[in-house]
Structure formats: structure tokens, C-alpha cells
Amino acid sequence: MSINMKMSVKHVLAAALLAGGIGSAGTAGAQQLAGVSVGQLRWELVDLTPDDGITPWIGMNSYATQSYASIYDQEGNEIDGVRIDRYGTTGFDNGYASMQANAQPDAANVLLTVHSGYGYVSANRSFRFILSPHTQVNFFADADLWATPEKPGASWPNALAELYGSLPGYNDGERFMQSFHLTDGTLHDTLTVSAASQGEWVNGYLALDAYAVAESHAAPVPEPATYGMLVGGVAVLALAGRRRRIA
């Protein structure tokens, strides 16, 4: 599939998240689940001119694998955020959200549970490749999306996966893309795009991205230390009340 222009999905979703325009108020104590996973990139080559004596060939180089997430309060202030720039596992757990992110050479995933505020997650893989002349390459990549609203009809998490790329400086910068979108439930699907060279070797770029946003208008979940202070405060008030009654 060829396209003339590709908007930055990351910027669009982030802007919508901070504007609070994706959902509406939920119920106190509820939570939303949003997550993405991308991986299992594979390809097949098609010889467009079998009699030219050139064996179809592609050279692939994993350019980057990333996972990251941020959580904001209802006023748009960032509460916490983590990023994996190459490989590894990380996460956070606070009164607003909990998150686990993992990035490995063959896959990247992020899972976010929002208790209060707004959350944004992303998993990305990108590649450089070299393609032999008169060759078509068909790329396939698996993606999983999770988007569970805190209450049906009350709020709408969003998740999006896309596979896209280009042949810079070739055939007027040919571009290709496929995507799918989810607002409720879970989805596993395979994305497919194709690119083709003519009579010369070409360099290409390929990216597999997935994004998800979620929000909750409930109050933040108190931290364990906060619960301890509340219990202690109640005990002090009870003791003071007993002393007044005795006096």
C-alpha cells in the first residue's frame, strides 16, 4: 500500500491524551488496561525477473527496539515515566498506574494499568534493509493490542499498531503502510506491507510501532504509606475520644 504522507501517530495520540479528549468520566476505584506488543518480523522475496541472473536477496539490520510509558495526573502533570532505549525490562507502580515494559531483539511490549489520570505507552521496532534489483519483498509482523475500559460506555482506551516503511531516494521516496486500531477488548493480527526494487540495489527503512492511551477520572489509589497514616490517624482520634469520655 502506497501513501503520500504519514502523520506522527505518537504526537496525535499524545496530544489527545493530554487534552483528555479520548474518554469521559469513569467511576471511582475503577481502572483501565491498555497494552501493546510487537514482534515476529518475517519476510518473503519474489523474483520479478527470473532470467536476469540475480538471486533475490535482502540484508536486514535491526536499527532500534524501544518501549516506554508515561502517566499524567488529571491536570496534565507527568507523574512517572520510563523508557528502554535498546533492550531490557523496567516498570513503575504508584497510586496513579502500574506499568511493565520489555524490549528484546525480536519483540517489544508494554502493559499499563491506569487507576487515575492519563497513561501513554509505546513499543517500537525499526530496521534498515538493502534489497537486490528486480526484487519484491513482502514483510509480515505480529502485533497484539489490549484496551479494556474501566466501565463499558464510560471511557474509551485506544490502541493502534502500524507497519510502515519507505525507500528513501528511490522511486520518488516510495512509502508503504498498514495499521489496525482497537478501542475495546483484545486483538491479535498480522500486518503486511510490500516494497519492490527495479534495476538497481536500493536501501529501505521499516518500522513496526504500537501505541496505546488510557484514562481514568477516579481519585488516585493511596500508597501503602498513606494507608498507614490514615490508620494511625484514626487510632489517634479514637484514643482522644476515649480520653474525653473518661474525663
Side-chain angles (χ1 to χ4, degrees):
M1 179 185 301
S2 296
I3 59 172
N4 295 323
M5 179 177 70
K6 176 184 176 294
M7 294 182 63
S8 171
V9 178
K10 172 184 174 181
H11 294 157
V12 172
L13 286 179
L17 179 152
L18 292 177
I22 295 179
S24 61
T27 56
Q31 62 185 23
Q32 280 195 13
L33 176 68
V36 293
S37 176
V38 293
Q40 299 300 315
L41 177 70
R42 53 204 181 276
W43 58 86
E44 63 179 16
L45 300 178
V46 179
D47 193 343
L48 300 178
T49 55
D51 57 352
D52 65 357
I54 300 176
T55 302
W57 183 86
I58 187 172
M60 294 291 298
N61 177 40
S62 180
Y63 181 66
T65 303
Q66 299 177 335
S67 294
Y68 54 94
S70 295
I71 182 71
Y72 303 82
D73 64 20
Q74 296 176 19
E75 286 72 44
N77 303 304
E78 185 172 13
I79 301 300
D80 208 341
V82 294
R83 180 186 183 99
I84 302 174
D85 289 320
R86 191 62 176 172
Y87 306 134
T89 301
T90 188
F92 58 73
D93 189 358
N94 55 52
Y96 288 83
S98 59
M99 188 281 301
Q100 290 293 325
N102 181 52
Q104 301 300 329
D106 59 346
N109 59 77
V110 189
L111 188 62
L112 173 72
T113 300
V114 177
H115 308 301
S116 177
Y118 304 85
Y120 169 73
V121 300
S122 175
N124 317 88
R125 301 188 67 205
S126 56
F127 307 85
R128 306 285 188 185
F129 65 89
I130 302 175
L131 190 62
S132 58
H134 302 297
T135 303
Q136 175 179 311
V137 56
N138 302 318
F139 291 108
F140 308 91
D142 295 332
D144 292 274
L145 303 179
W146 297 270
T148 305
E150 58 188 6
K151 181 180 180 181
S155 54
W156 295 267
N158 277 251
L160 174 71
E162 57 183 0
L163 179 63
Y164 63 92
S166 64
L167 303 177
Y170 175 76
N171 198 21
D172 200 24
E174 178 181 349
R175 300 177 183 179
F176 38 88
M177 183 184 73
Q178 186 186 26
S179 63
F180 59 82
H181 178 227
L182 179 70
T183 58
D184 190 1
T186 60
L187 177 64
H188 171 81
D189 208 343
T190 299
L191 297 163
T192 303
V193 296
S194 298
S197 62
Q198 296 181 9
E200 58 187 9
W201 291 82
V202 296
N203 295 309
Y205 172 79
L206 183 72
L208 175 58
D209 294 344
Y211 308 94
V213 292
E215 66 168 327
S216 173
H217 289 261
V221 176
E223 299 286 352
T226 304
Y227 279 120
M229 287 187 294
L230 288 174
V231 172
V234 170
V236 170
L237 290 175
L239 179 59
R242 284 198 299 270
R243 287 179 176 175
R244 283 196 300 269
R245 286 195 297 272
I246 294 174

